[in-house]
Amino acid sequence: MTDLADVTRDDSIAVAKSFSHPTVDTKHVLWGVLQALDADAPADIDRSAVWRLLGPNGTTDSLPTISATAETALAGITTKDSAIALARTLATQLGILGGSTAGADPAAAATPTDGTAGPAAGASTDSAEGAATTDAKAVTTPVPDSEASLLAELDSMIGLGEVKAAVRRLLALQHLNAERAKAGLPVVNASKHLVFTGDPGTGKTTVAGIVARLYKVAGLVSKGQLIQTGRADLVAGYVGQTALKVQDVVQRALGGVLFIDEAYALAQGGYEDFGDEAIATLVKMMEEHRDDLAVIAAGYDAEMRDFIDSNPGLRSRFTHYIHFPNYDADELVAIFGSIAAAAQVGAGPEVEARVRILVSAAIDRPDFGNARYVRTVFEDAYANMAARVLADGSVTDPEMRNLVPDDVTDPGQGPIEAHRPIGFRPR
């Protein structure tokens, strides 16, 4: 059952990275094993509750490491039955299964057993409901993905109007081809492979995950998992190893979508680099598995066009481009509000005004991270709130629920209007 274990590992890492969490812990493994089991997953484990338990977002862009407890859990997957048992065990530990933690402290039930932090204080989870429920029959059967629910999830994302329209256009194309095929009419070649262009923090990874699930619902792939990778996972330093690395990653992605972030880096190696070998192997495997594999290559606009033009095989397979524009100040403020709302932290008009000042000043920075930057601002504001609330040694209910304007600072640069000494600005 190596494939099931590998898929679980990949999905666990992918969801941790999509939330920008630095470490894969048991809540990520629970999500990963449910995704890997797919239709065989226990029906009484509510996936929406697991998803909410994964929040809030972190701040790291690097590939997450796997905790010792998560490694132990992953190592126990040898059969489908062992994977199902693991899902139940983790769901019980995390307070997802109703009735299984009756009488336990809800906050403790929602804390991962490997000691990493769970949801931020005040974040909404189902663990309290699960701990308070003594009737084991009072569970919610997860609702399978549908095209309508996934498009609603896409529409709930702030901004990205052109991206949403492009995804719908791709689905319409696939649907039309399916109907023409049923009628015995010829179909127009419609590649499943996509190029996402845009700056960091514009939602490319999140949309890629939705596209993977849409592809499954549409019957274009069999599983719908998203496997995220990059140059380091595909290119080796020695002759003969690169092809093996690419083959391994593609095998894990079969049945879903392989998402290659900063894909242009494959073609930017120097002398004696094996990036070209990785590209050639990838093209070959895309052809071999064209019926059950989709590849989404992502990166900056100009660099991605150069990357696609670097190999005729890429040019013929990647025919659909979707551009992710940078967010404007209004959208960034709205994203801040949505992050705060998800964590059940109040952010009133004065706080939003402070955030607007901050993002308006940062939006033109060369390294501006769009939504990632806003997420960092929220995490920093929450930390400032914690320090403020605990300064007098006691915590009141209103204090733990609401940010104040002074909590909002430019991460790493102090308050927006901190004491500004007269003199030259430091460089």
Side-chain angles (χ1 to χ4, degrees):
M1 194 55 62
T2 303
D3 289 345
L4 183 57
D6 287 344
V7 171
T8 300
R9 176 182 293 272
D10 288 339
D11 286 346
S12 302
I13 295 172
V15 74
K17 192 172 193 311
S18 70
F19 275 83
S20 297
H21 293 165
T23 305
V24 174
D25 59 38
T26 51
K27 61 181 180 285
H28 303 108
V29 174
L30 175 55
W31 177 262
V33 74
L34 293 177
Q35 291 292 93
L37 285 168
D38 196 18
D40 294 321
D44 55 349
I45 300 178
D46 186 353
R47 295 196 191 203
S48 62
V50 181
W51 183 259
R52 288 192 291 273
L53 190 62
L54 291 167
N57 290 317
T59 58
T60 181
D61 293 330
S62 59
L63 192 69
T65 58
I66 302 179
S67 71
T69 306
E71 281 286 12
T72 300
L74 290 167
I77 301 176
T78 56
T79 64
K80 182 173 73 175
D81 288 342
S82 68
I84 293 173
L86 174 63
R88 289 190 172 281
T89 297
L90 295 179
T92 299
Q93 292 174 348
L94 295 169
I96 298 299
L97 279 179
S100 60
T101 56
D105 177 9
T111 302
T113 57
D114 52 12
T116 57
S124 173
T125 72
D126 283 7
S127 51
E129 294 179 15
T133 302
T134 57
D135 182 1
K137 296 180 182 179
V139 295
T140 303
T141 302
V143 178
D145 283 336
S146 66
E147 183 172 310
S149 67
L150 290 170
L151 289 176
E153 184 177 334
L154 178 67
D155 287 339
S156 70
M157 297 180 68
I158 294 168
L160 303 179
E162 294 179 5
V163 173
K164 296 169 184 176
V167 171
R168 281 179 162 81
R169 188 166 59 249
L170 286 172
L171 284 177
L173 190 157
Q174 299 291 349
H175 286 323
L176 178 60
N177 272 346
E179 293 301 318
R180 286 177 61 88
K182 290 179 184 178
L185 297 172
V187 299
V188 176
N189 179 45
S191 173
K192 299 190 291 280
H193 311 303
L194 305 173
V195 177
F196 285 0
T197 62
D199 291 343
T202 49
K204 296 188 291 296
T205 305
T206 302
V207 172
I210 295 174
V211 168
R213 292 152 62 201
L214 279 169
Y215 275 4
K216 179 189 176 183
V217 169
L220 300 176
V221 295
S222 61
K223 297 178 181 178
Q225 80 278 18
L226 180 74
I227 302 300
Q228 186 169 354
T229 190
R231 176 185 165 87
D233 301 313
L234 299 172
V235 180
Y238 301 95
V239 175
Q241 291 184 338
T242 292
L244 296 176
K245 293 187 74 171
V246 175
Q247 290 168 10
D248 178 63
V249 171
V250 170
Q251 285 294 328
R252 296 178 188 179
L254 288 183
V257 170
L258 177 63
F259 181 77
I260 308 176
D261 199 13
E262 297 182 349
Y264 54 82
L266 293 174
Q268 291 183 338
Y271 178 66
E272 293 186 347
D273 180 75
F274 297 102
D276 288 343
E277 181 184 356
I279 294 172
T281 306
L282 177 64
V283 169
K284 178 175 180 291
M285 298 197 73
M286 288 170 66
E287 179 61 25
E288 291 176 355
H289 302 289
R290 60 185 179 276
D291 294 332
D292 202 20
L293 173 70
V295 177
I296 298 178
Y300 294 107
D301 186 45
E303 287 86 345
M304 286 305 300
R305 294 184 183 278
D306 290 341
F307 166 67
I308 298 301
D309 288 341
S310 71
N311 184 292
L314 294 176
R315 195 181 308 118
S316 64
R317 287 167 178 80
F318 288 99
T319 56
H320 299 297
Y321 287 70
I322 299 180
H323 180 68
F324 287 68
N326 289 329
Y327 293 106
D328 61 29
D330 289 340
E331 292 168 337
L332 292 167
V333 172
I335 290 171
F336 181 93
S338 69
I339 295 172
Q344 293 191 2
V345 174
E350 292 182 349
V351 171
E352 289 190 352
R354 191 87 164 191
V355 173
R356 184 178 299 277
I357 293 172
L358 194 61
V359 298
S360 297
I363 203 167
D364 292 327
R365 295 176 186 169
D367 59 346
F368 183 63
N370 282 283
R372 293 180 188 175
Y373 175 78
V374 172
R375 187 186 308 140
T376 302
V377 170
F378 173 77
E379 297 288 349
D380 189 65
Y382 186 83
N384 290 339
M385 181 176 77
R388 171 176 55 79
V389 167
L390 295 172
D392 59 2
S394 64
V395 180
T396 65
D397 188 72
E399 284 180 327
M400 73 170 71
R401 291 178 179 271
N402 297 289
L403 293 169
V404 300
D406 285 344
D407 292 331
V408 180
T409 62
D410 192 350
Q413 298 188 25
I416 302 172
E417 297 176 2
H419 306 286
R420 295 179 179 176
I422 298 174
F424 295 102
R425 178 179 298 174
R427 295 185 178 272

